[in-house]
Amino acid sequence: MKARQILSILLFSVVSVSAQIQLPIEPVFQNTYLKETRSASGKPGKNYWQNTSKYNIKVNFNPVNRVLNGNVEITYTNNSPDILKEIWFKLYPNLYKKGTPRKSKFAEADLGDGVTIEKLSTGGNAITDFKIDGTNMTVNVPAVAPGKTITFSITYHYTINKGSHMRTGQVDEGSHFIAYFFPRIAVYDDVDGWNKFPYTGAEEFYNDFDQFNAEVTVPGGYAVWATGDLKNPSEVFQKNIVSKLLAAEQSDAVIDVISSQDLGEKKVTQPKAFNTFKFEAKNVTDFVFALSDHYLWKSSSLVVDPNTKRRTRVDAVFNPKHKDYYEVINFARKTVESMSSTFPKWPFPYNHETIFDGLDQMEYPMMVNDNPVDNRVDAITLTDHEIFHTMFPFYMGINETKYGWMDEGWATIGEWLISPMIDSTIVDEYGIQLTASSSGGNGDSPIMTLTPDLKGSGSFTNSYPKPGLGYLFVKDYLGEELFTKALHHYMRNWNGKHPMPYDFFNSINEGSGKNLNWFWKPWFFEGGVVDLAIKSVDKSTEGYMITVENKGIKPLPIDLTLNFTDGSVQKNHSTIGVWENGNKEVKIEIKTTKKLNKVVMGSAHVPDKVKSDNSFSVN
């Protein structure tokens, strides 16, 4: 999607090529090395584990009164070494319950009773010993030993919000995007145990990799799109729609699966009072659905893995009134293609990706809820940003609740790099200026600050541009080939698992064969201003010697534009590697026989707080 202090830390020496610089490490992560659930190499340890669930969901949604009635059967497997005597659940819809603490302001009319648990049982026995506290629910259960399972049956209902749209709710009179709509078991991991952080509407999510079978029943005339594969298209769509959908799954061309003519002639869904859409999704971190009785549906597909010839279908589902959305299918298709072939150069992992015309800017497995925008550039950057989240946090099961930068930073660099692939005129500087101007200020804090504790400008910069710049600078330093190798090493280590910050740092170190702690430490663990200055320009025997000073502690690339008296211009680029030894000044030699007139420093993706010292006129 487009506060506590950092825990007390201790210095812990990790196995590394060089022991010169050590990263500060929190005791909870040091414990994972001692337990061997994680390793200082960045790989999962020999004792790594994670729990998982199988969800069978049946919901009936009434778009008129917005009541969702549901039943969910959950089989939870305890792969941990611990005996579990209570199970924590997440009731995310309770964000709209009266009295729930939240960071977002909602209209009073949108607040209600939250989720009503009508029945909760395990093994056929009713459970009454449970407590609901805001968006958390704790359930006392018979002891679940390591390697054992427990099955829950929960019948519940709640009313979907009509206004105050926060990632979910009614979009218009005939359209809804419905997320977080079922009670789900919280993550129990090797770092913190249960994820007890409440959902406040600000921080995002942390979920296990689960299996979902879902049945969504809606009135006739409504089409449904969701995470996972639709298992019964012929039962819910009319023949012409099914035929076009199947064609889109094998075609590079864009096909109008639902056209204005289909809507006008009521030839979309089966002519029944109600239709039940059945979906299946395996090894994903969440399940959402959306519905509409008047949206268009454009679809296409492309080969994402040239070795297996596997295709991904890309959908744009939207209100015909929103003209910007007619191009979204092209932007989405190009994003999936670019992700698979260029950056991160990893085959898109899912069978489909649906961009739904909603009221937010939020990502889900195989689904995006994106509001319409006013111009083409915004449509491109929004589309590729949200789709890029497919890899982080969904393919890589990141704890966004604590470390939002581990996925938003990747979506930001993905946006920076992919947007020009869609439109070469785009120079995306999302968040760069604010990173510069806020650096060293009250809202500025280390990126490693826990997400719930971020305040002021840091609530944005720490999650989006600052980590995005960190990744971009390392990419520039390592070079395309070595960076891709290191990133793929991290992804192979942790896809389908739960990587934490040190797993990332150590994986990139090992994958690249370079100890990057000299960069990780100042950029991610420390605060301070980002500010370079041209200190001097002196004549040398072979040209000129330019001295650049770093007024902060964070390594930054140096981009110089050299203007000569004959009117010619030359560019000079230095990666962050020039600061690797902790030096405060860098001397850059320019070999030339021409007479230098002026030197200007700076580029679109290098934040610099004070720009008045970024130019130097040569006498």
Side-chain angles (χ1 to χ4, degrees):
M1 182 179 183
K2 220 172 166 182
R4 254 168 288 263
Q5 294 298 316
I6 293 183
L7 297 175
S8 60
I9 56 179
L10 54 88
L11 289 179
F12 177 73
S13 178
V14 297
V15 177
S16 181
V17 177
S18 169
Q20 292 180 347
I21 295 179
Q22 301 168 356
L23 300 181
I25 185 165
E26 301 167 19
V28 291
F29 292 111
Q30 183 183 6
N31 289 337
T32 66
Y33 298 150
L34 298 176
K35 294 184 295 186
E36 296 187 271
T37 55
R38 297 168 193 264
S39 69
S41 71
K43 293 187 178 74
K46 68 175 185 178
N47 296 327
Y48 179 81
W49 55 267
Q50 62 193 50
N51 293 346
T52 189
S53 298
K54 293 182 178 179
Y55 290 81
N56 288 315
I57 302 170
K58 294 182 179 181
V59 297
N60 188 311
F61 179 62
N62 184 335
V64 177
N65 61 17
R66 307 187 316 283
V67 173
L68 184 146
N69 289 284
N71 176 266
V72 56
E73 302 278 346
I74 311 171
T75 300
Y76 181 67
T77 301
N78 177 22
N79 293 315
S80 82
D82 306 320
I83 297 174
L84 303 180
K85 296 183 179 180
E86 66 175 10
I87 304 293
W88 282 64
F89 284 76
K90 296 296 181 182
L91 300 179
Y92 292 127
N94 275 359
L95 181 67
Y96 288 89
K97 183 178 180 179
K98 292 178 180 178
T100 295
R102 64 184 68 85
K103 292 183 179 179
S104 305
K105 292 183 179 180
F106 293 159
E108 188 67 26
D110 294 324
L111 303 179
D113 297 329
V115 178
T116 298
I117 303 295
E118 301 171 22
K119 178 184 176 183
L120 172 59
S121 63
T122 180
N125 299 313
I127 298 176
T128 57
D129 190 5
F130 65 92
K131 178 182 178 182
I132 297 176
D133 180 13
T135 57
N136 285 334
M137 178 173 74
T138 52
V139 181
N140 291 321
V141 297
V144 185
K148 300 299 182 180
T149 64
I150 184 171
T151 299
F152 296 94
S153 178
I154 306 173
T155 302
Y156 66 100
H157 71 268
Y158 74 100
T159 302
I160 302 292
N161 53 295
K162 184 174 183 178
S164 301
H165 192 103
M166 176 55 70
R167 301 170 177 154
T168 183
Q170 179 172 308
V171 177
D172 59 33
E173 287 301 322
S175 308
H176 294 74
F177 192 97
I178 301 180
Y180 326 122
F181 64 93
F182 57 94
R184 68 171 308 137
I185 297 178
V187 174
Y188 184 82
D189 67 23
D190 63 312
V191 178
D192 298 315
W194 289 110
N195 172 26
K196 298 180 180 180
F197 284 91
Y199 174 45
T200 68
E203 305 81 19
E204 296 183 20
F205 306 92
Y206 183 34
N207 297 317
D208 276 321
F209 286 86
D210 298 318
Q211 318 298 317
F212 294 93
N213 285 285
E215 297 184 9
V216 180
T217 300
V218 295
Y222 281 86
V224 176
W225 299 266
T227 301
D229 299 323
L230 178 63
K231 307 304 290 185
N232 63 333
S234 297
E235 294 178 11
V236 291
F237 286 119
Q238 293 191 29
K239 186 176 181 180
N240 66 314
I241 303 298
V242 176
S243 177
K244 288 189 286 184
L245 177 59
L246 293 175
E249 291 177 345
Q250 299 299 322
S251 175
D252 291 341
V254 175
I255 293 176
D256 292 315
V257 177
I258 296 179
S259 66
S260 296
Q261 182 177 347
D262 296 323
L263 290 168
E265 296 176 354
K266 298 187 183 302
K267 291 183 178 180
V268 177
T269 61
Q270 290 289 353
K272 304 175 186 175
F274 297 93
N275 285 305
T276 298
F277 293 74
K278 299 178 181 180
F279 298 93
E280 180 182 68
K282 297 180 179 180
N283 203 36
V284 295
T285 58
D286 204 357
F287 184 94
V288 301
F289 71 94
L291 65 152
S292 179
D293 63 357
H294 62 278
Y295 272 21
L296 302 178
W297 180 2
K298 289 182 177 291
S299 186
S300 180
S301 67
L302 66 153
V303 173
V304 295
D305 187 342
N307 294 323
T308 64
K309 306 301 181 185
R310 180 172 61 82
R311 301 182 75 91
T312 288
R313 193 188 79 235
V314 183
D315 302 322
V317 179
F318 59 97
N319 191 324
K321 295 180 180 179
H322 296 152
K323 301 306 178 186
D324 63 301
Y325 247 96
Y326 285 83
E327 276 196 282
V328 164
I329 184 65
N330 300 321
F331 305 153
R333 193 180 190 282
K334 182 62 177 178
T335 299
V336 172
E337 178 188 12
S338 299
M339 289 173 62
S340 300
S341 63
T342 308
F343 183 77
K345 206 171 183 179
W346 190 283
F348 197 83
Y350 302 123
N351 291 339
H352 74 82
E353 180 73 17
T354 301
I355 317 303
F356 189 84
D357 181 358
L359 292 176
D360 216 297
Q361 299 181 354
M362 188 64 192
E363 69 281 355
Y364 308 85
M366 305 179 219
M367 295 282 286
V368 168
N369 174 10
D370 274 353
N371 59 283
V373 293
D374 294 331
N375 63 76
R376 189 172 186 270
V377 172
D378 286 348
I380 290 171
T381 58
L382 174 58
T383 300
D384 58 32
H385 181 107
E386 302 306 339
I387 294 177
F388 202 89
H389 276 299
T390 295
M391 309 309 293
F392 311 89
F394 303 132
Y395 191 62
M396 313 284 286
I398 289 162
N399 184 350
E400 300 174 275
T401 303
K402 292 176 66 176
Y403 308 108
W405 61 267
M406 290 187 70
D407 77 300
E408 292 296 355
W410 285 111
T412 301
I413 184 179
E415 173 187 332
W416 290 337
L417 296 177
I418 291 175
S419 295
M421 299 179 198
I422 299 173
D423 183 336
S424 61
T425 66
I426 293 177
V427 179
D428 189 348
E429 301 177 42
Y430 179 60
I432 305 296
Q433 183 52 46
L434 183 59
T435 298
S437 61
S438 64
S439 67
N442 291 334
D444 190 30
S445 60
I447 293 174
M448 281 288 288
T449 304
L450 296 183
T451 299
D453 302 335
L454 296 175
K455 298 174 182 177
S457 60
S459 297
F460 168 71
T461 58
N462 269 30
S463 294
Y464 294 81
K466 282 167 65 176
L469 288 168
Y471 305 147
L472 189 67
F473 296 162
V474 170
K475 180 176 183 290
D476 179 46
Y477 169 72
L478 294 177
E480 191 77 33
E481 183 176 350
L482 186 56
F483 178 80
T484 300
K485 177 184 175 184
L487 178 56
H488 286 187
H489 182 70
Y490 168 51
M491 294 174 70
R492 279 190 294 270
N493 282 347
W494 289 100
N495 75 80
K497 302 181 179 67
H498 294 311
M500 298 297 172
Y502 300 94
D503 303 318
F504 165 69
F505 299 132
N506 294 330
S507 285
I508 299 296
N509 284 357
E510 183 182 74
S512 66
K514 293 180 178 292
N515 185 343
L516 295 167
N517 289 353
W518 63 270
F519 176 76
W520 302 136
K521 188 173 185 289
W523 194 264
F524 287 86
F525 291 82
E526 299 173 354
V529 70
V530 286
D531 189 14
L532 298 179
I534 301 176
K535 190 174 182 180
S536 64
V537 179
D538 301 303
K539 198 77 175 69
S540 68
T541 56
E542 296 187 80
Y544 294 87
M545 188 67 72
I546 302 173
T547 302
V548 177
E549 178 187 5
N550 190 342
K551 293 187 173 182
I553 63 169
K554 296 183 183 297
L556 295 164
I558 301 171
D559 288 285
L560 301 176
T561 300
L562 311 170
N563 298 277
F564 296 94
T565 56
D566 65 359
S568 62
V569 177
Q570 179 181 328
K571 299 286 187 179
N572 182 279
H573 175 74
S574 301
T575 75
I576 55 172
V578 296
W579 309 105
E580 189 167 349
N581 295 323
N583 43 308
K584 298 297 292 181
E585 292 184 358
V586 170
K587 293 186 180 298
I588 301 172
E589 185 175 19
I590 305 298
K591 295 182 179 182
T592 182
T593 58
K594 298 180 182 180
K595 186 176 181 181
L596 192 57
N597 179 46
K598 188 177 183 180
V599 180
V600 179
M601 180 173 60
S603 67
H605 289 101
V606 179
D608 197 310
K609 186 164 188 172
V610 180
K611 295 182 174 60
S612 58
D613 52 15
N614 287 5
S615 63
F616 197 101
S617 296
V618 182
N619 295 326

